[in-house]
Amino acid sequence: MVKIIARNMNQPVDVTTDIYRLWESLNQELRNALDAHGVCAVVASEVARFAGTTAVVAMTNPIKQLFDVWIARPDGSMQQTRWESAGITFERLALEGRPVFWEKMRARAREQIQSEIWHLAREAVLAATLPYHDASLSITPRGAICLIDPPPDCPVHAGNLGSLALHITTFLDRAYLQHRSDKQQIEFAVVSEINHALTAKLNLEHIYQTLSDPVRRTLNVQTVSIGLVDPVTEDIVFVAELMGPLFRDLPPIRLKAGEGIAGYVARSGQPLIVNDAYADRRFYSRADSLSGFETHSILCLPLTVESRVMGVLEAINKRDGDFNRQDLALLQAIAGPLAAAIENARLHLDVLTEKRRIETMFASMSEGLLVINREGRITVVNDAFTSLVRHGAGDLSGQLAQDVVSLASSDFAEFVHHVFQRVEPYPQLAADLVQPDERLVPVLISGACIEDDAGNINEALFVFSDLSLIREFERMRDDFFHNIVHELRTPLATILMYARLLRVGKAANDLEKTDRFLGFIERESNRLQLMVRQMLQLAKLEAREIQRSSATVDLNILFEEILPTLADRATEKGLIFSQRIEPELPPVVGNDETLYIVFKNLIENAIKFTLDGGVRVTASTADRLITVTVADDGIGIPDMALPNLFKRFFRASTAVERGIAGTGLGLYMVKEGVEKHGGSIEASSGEGQGTTFTVTLPVASS
């Protein structure tokens, strides 16, 4: 509930209202609105009805010289119009940077004459700019929301109009983002359609017809032209068939090498945007003189084949403003296929593109790939395969595959023969690959024949999938379930035993014994509850239900909640617990519950795995990062266990051998929680040397 200030902004009016009713109404109306014009209309209508006065919402249109305007009145009537000179007032509003209350008697005379907003107002205007925050962070174009002659008891006033404008900006950003996405999808479809059509066109006029209309509609330009580079003189010739009907009856326009904007682009090989052609001294105006056509703006880019510029593509006279980088990107997507069509080398380019694509896929795949010819010799391998068999890439080409691939209990040569004979459609072999150091790696080998154009089979492709991680995951999963069964069985047995003792009266009339029995039951129940909570937390992580909040978290308050209880627990165990938390740590953006779990798990682990010695917790800030370390003098972690430390279900051998209870989920959830907050976590340890975990989190921006 807020108090409204009268129009002279000095005398308070004894009227209260709940501005959140308007917010709720807007939320209800706009929750599915993805059209910016629809958002503006709804906002104007709802604000006018709520405020009891005329409301105006104005947004710059794509030309950025006019304003699309929605004028709504309390009776529900709506008028949509366009203003040409409201910018004078709105520029003043943008400079203010906050909601303003302008009285007409104090407005500048020039504004009243030239700005349409003052034609509506009798006495005053209450206004706020849109978007209502840093324009660089918003995709909403410049605009404003105004209340015309707001009454003294108007529930919308300068004190809350800014919040309302910010609320509206959120919906406008979403609508304009959807508009941008829809436009990009349309442009992508146009590019895809043009590229597909150009592959079947060999006639220059057909190429222009295929290209012209879609590009003109998508870019909203007056015309499109294509010029070809003469391979002998390097002149650029704009053939009539490639320039459209305006130039049909004119002789070909010929530019010398480097002449005009087209010549500059062809020589430099770089695209060029010129939004004022006659102001650019590179512009060749004779074509306008010959045709009677007037060029205002040009987007020109080179048509290139194999790093050679063979022509230029021009879009001329954009109808709704200036050419921009998005227009350039659209034409660049068309330029390659267009050049290939004009050069009658589309098939050649397609083969090269396909070859490069396959090579990239072959080299970047995580599975080992091996190609063998009919003689059993290796022709091609990728890096993953050489890593798997522990050989250098240069050593394998031409070698017999059976000398490189050694399987523990299977014959690879027999499997190769099996593949070449096509005994089955999808041959596979599960085996253990023997590496040079006698280490066995479980692999799944899949084979496929490679046919040439005549259908002959001269080579076969073999894919080696390393199953080590899957086997390790299965082992950890089995260990996890065994641990869970054990962890559940022990407290359940304890609870059951003491419950039965109580039931049969073993503690009858003995309050001390009853209290002790109940204490055992309570402690084991808490242990069960902790395991259940941890499993639920894991389920949320897997379902991606834990999201990074946009709220700020005060880590000093968080540590004040965590540390005292854990310090007492460490002291009871006979450990030295020390803490050095920097006072007034800057806040971080995130979820306080998730961060609580992160730091509590780390400190609890330090206490659990430390048999004697100490546990140390520090927190400090530097370079816009908060660094938290949790160090202990515990049993440590073997070097070979460190790479798997943060994986699900993983437990180090030192913990398993000492019989320390655990599920192998705590550090996995810690890492997930830290990374969801844009941070990182590192662990350094050695067996019997203690462990140090270092967490870094970014400071919330001001």
Side-chain angles (χ1 to χ4, degrees):
M1 306 297 284
V2 295
K3 181 168 285 187
I4 304 304
I5 306 302
R7 281 185 296 175
N8 61 17
M9 308 303 290
N10 293 319
Q11 298 298 323
V13 178
D14 189 19
V15 177
T16 58
T17 185
D18 187 0
I19 191 65
Y20 294 103
R21 285 194 295 110
L22 176 57
W23 287 28
E24 292 173 358
S25 177
L26 288 174
N27 287 343
Q28 185 69 22
E29 290 289 329
L30 299 177
R31 60 182 178 180
N32 296 320
L34 295 175
D35 173 67
H37 283 203
V39 171
C40 291
V42 169
V43 168
S45 177
E46 289 293 323
V47 171
R49 181 182 61 79
F50 181 81
T53 190
T54 299
V56 175
V57 176
M59 303 298 298
T60 52
N61 66 2
I63 301 179
K64 297 183 180 178
Q65 298 171 342
L66 303 173
F67 285 85
D68 290 321
V69 182
W70 292 264
I71 304 172
R73 294 177 173 80
D75 60 5
S77 61
M78 171 76 71
Q79 176 187 359
Q80 184 174 352
T81 184
R82 178 166 285 177
W83 287 350
E84 296 184 359
S85 57
I88 299 174
T89 301
F90 292 157
E91 285 173 6
R92 273 190 65 199
L93 179 60
L95 290 175
E96 290 283 347
R98 58 184 177 82
V100 296
F101 184 87
W102 283 324
E103 293 179 288
K104 190 169 185 177
M105 60 180 293
R106 298 181 181 179
R108 301 171 187 174
R110 179 167 171 261
E111 278 190 351
Q112 292 190 31
I113 295 173
Q114 298 188 11
S115 183
E116 291 91 334
I117 190 70
W118 294 106
H119 298 172
L120 296 175
R122 296 188 308 274
E123 298 180 11
V125 173
L126 176 62
T129 185
L130 295 173
Y132 195 75
H133 51 61
D134 186 356
S136 64
L137 303 177
S138 174
I139 63 172
T140 296
R142 184 167 61 94
I145 178 171
C146 309
L147 270 68
I148 308 300
D149 298 321
D153 59 347
C154 181
V156 180
H157 53 88
N160 56 27
L161 184 59
S163 299
L164 178 61
L166 181 60
H167 193 60
I168 296 168
T169 298
T170 303
F171 290 104
L172 288 172
D173 276 349
R174 185 182 67 172
Y176 280 107
L177 184 63
Q178 180 65 40
H179 172 73
R180 179 184 294 179
S181 175
D182 293 342
K183 184 179 179 182
Q184 289 175 345
Q185 288 182 4
I186 293 172
E187 291 174 351
F188 178 84
V190 169
V191 170
S192 178
E193 180 181 353
I194 291 175
N195 291 350
H196 179 73
L198 286 176
T199 60
K201 303 296 181 182
L202 299 175
N203 180 278
L204 290 180
E205 187 170 0
H206 290 167
I207 289 174
Y208 179 81
Q209 292 172 352
T210 300
L211 180 75
S212 176
D213 286 342
V215 172
R216 283 194 298 105
R217 290 195 306 270
T218 305
L219 289 181
N220 197 14
V221 297
Q222 191 169 356
T223 188
V224 177
S225 64
I226 301 172
L228 304 181
V229 175
D230 187 312
V232 178
T233 64
E234 295 187 354
D235 291 352
I236 299 177
V237 181
F238 286 87
V239 184
E241 287 82 0
L242 301 182
M243 297 189 68
L246 291 173
F247 299 85
R248 182 76 64 191
D249 299 326
L250 296 177
I253 297 174
R254 192 179 191 95
L255 303 180
K256 295 181 180 180
E259 186 177 24
I261 290 175
Y264 174 85
V265 169
R267 172 167 288 180
S268 66
Q270 299 296 322
L272 186 65
I273 295 175
V274 178
N275 284 313
D276 189 351
Y278 281 87
D280 194 308
R281 58 185 180 179
R282 293 167 294 193
F283 175 62
Y284 181 78
S285 61
R286 189 166 181 268
D288 282 9
S289 302
L290 292 174
S291 64
F293 181 85
E294 185 175 358
T295 302
H296 302 293
S297 57
I298 299 176
L299 170 55
C300 182
L301 69 159
L303 299 174
T304 306
V305 174
E306 292 296 319
S307 302
R308 176 176 62 86
V309 177
M310 47 76 61
V312 294
L313 171 62
E314 288 184 338
I316 302 173
N317 291 353
K318 188 168 183 180
R319 300 179 187 273
D320 59 352
D322 295 337
F323 286 111
N324 53 46
R325 289 290 175 184
Q326 188 174 352
D327 302 327
L328 174 60
L330 178 63
L331 279 190
Q332 283 177 323
I334 299 171
L338 173 62
I342 295 173
E343 287 271 293
N344 194 22
R346 178 66 184 183
L347 179 60
H348 175 61
L349 290 179
D350 282 347
V351 169
L352 290 179
T353 302
E354 186 68 13
K355 180 175 180 293
R356 294 188 187 110
R357 185 174 70 88
I358 292 175
E359 288 176 347
T360 301
M361 293 173 57
F362 198 85
S364 61
M365 286 185 65
S366 59
E367 289 83 2
L369 298 180
L370 168 68
V371 179
I372 303 175
N373 61 21
R374 273 201 170 272
E375 298 175 358
R377 296 192 178 275
I378 297 173
T379 57
V380 182
V381 297
N382 69 348
D383 292 340
F385 178 80
T386 58
S387 298
L388 193 62
V389 298
R390 303 283 182 87
H391 279 277
D395 301 332
L396 300 182
S397 182
Q399 292 191 31
L400 289 172
Q402 63 185 22
D403 294 340
V404 175
V405 179
S406 175
L407 303 180
S409 58
S410 302
D411 188 346
F412 183 64
E414 182 181 343
F415 180 66
V416 171
H417 178 74
H418 184 77
V419 171
F420 273 106
Q421 294 301 315
R422 290 190 168 183
V423 176
E424 54 183 298
Y426 305 105
Q428 289 185 327
L429 174 65
D432 289 327
L433 178 70
V434 182
Q435 294 183 330
D437 59 0
E438 302 300 326
R439 179 171 172 263
L440 298 181
V441 179
V443 294
L444 177 65
I445 308 173
S446 303
C449 295
I450 302 175
E451 294 184 354
D452 59 17
D453 293 339
N456 299 318
I457 300 174
N458 296 317
E459 291 182 320
L461 171 68
F462 296 86
V463 180
F464 289 72
S465 301
D466 188 347
L467 304 181
S468 300
L469 291 178
I470 297 176
R471 294 278 178 87
E472 178 65 15
F473 178 80
E474 290 174 347
R475 184 194 66 78
M476 290 190 297
R477 183 193 60 192
D478 292 342
D479 290 347
F480 167 75
F481 284 115
H482 290 153
N483 289 336
I484 284 295
V485 170
H486 176 73
E487 291 293 315
L488 290 175
R489 183 172 56 190
T490 301
L492 282 174
T494 302
I495 292 171
L496 184 59
M497 179 185 71
Y498 284 106
R500 286 174 175 171
L501 290 175
L502 288 172
R503 184 176 183 184
V504 298
K506 292 295 183 180
N509 302 321
D510 190 338
L511 294 178
E512 182 179 352
K513 186 179 290 188
T514 300
D515 185 64
R516 188 168 70 254
F517 286 3
L518 290 175
F520 283 125
I521 292 174
E522 181 181 15
R523 184 169 62 252
E524 296 302 319
S525 297
N526 288 336
R527 184 176 170 188
L528 282 175
Q529 188 180 45
L530 177 62
M531 282 189 286
V532 171
R533 189 184 305 119
Q534 198 172 46
M535 295 299 295
L536 290 175
Q537 192 74 9
L538 173 65
K540 289 183 179 180
L541 282 171
E542 294 296 318
R544 295 295 187 264
E545 291 180 11
I546 296 179
Q547 302 295 333
R548 180 183 175 188
S549 170
S550 59
T552 57
V553 179
D554 188 327
L555 292 182
N556 289 105
I557 296 177
L558 199 69
F559 285 125
E560 287 174 3
E561 296 178 8
I562 297 174
L563 294 178
T565 304
L566 296 179
D568 291 342
R569 189 183 304 176
T571 303
E572 291 173 1
K573 193 176 178 181
L575 304 178
I576 300 173
F577 190 91
S578 62
Q579 52 181 304
R580 295 184 62 184
I581 309 298
E582 181 180 303
E584 298 182 2
L585 289 170
V588 298
V589 175
N591 182 288
D592 55 353
E593 180 183 353
T594 303
L595 292 176
Y596 182 93
I597 293 171
V598 165
F599 294 118
K600 186 179 180 185
N601 274 350
L602 288 176
I603 301 170
E604 281 183 334
N605 278 354
I607 296 171
K608 179 174 21 174
F609 293 105
T610 302
L611 305 181
D612 59 69
V615 174
R616 298 166 295 281
V617 181
T618 64
S620 60
T621 179
D623 299 327
R624 303 291 298 168
L625 289 174
I626 294 177
T627 302
V628 180
T629 62
V630 179
D632 63 61
D633 301 322
I635 61 176
I637 303 167
D639 292 340
M640 64 176 58
L642 286 174
N644 299 315
L645 193 60
F646 296 103
K647 292 182 179 179
R648 283 184 304 171
F649 313 137
F650 179 79
R651 300 189 68 220
S653 58
T654 49
V656 176
E657 291 168 359
R658 292 172 183 265
I660 299 176
T663 61
L665 296 175
L667 290 180
Y668 168 74
M669 292 190 290
V670 165
K671 186 173 186 294
E672 288 286 315
V674 170
E675 291 181 348
K676 284 184 182 297
H677 288 77
S680 63
I681 181 170
E682 295 179 354
S684 60
S685 182
E687 190 168 359
Q689 300 175 9
T691 304
T692 299
F693 287 95
T694 304
V695 175
T696 58
L697 294 171
V699 172
S701 62
S702 57

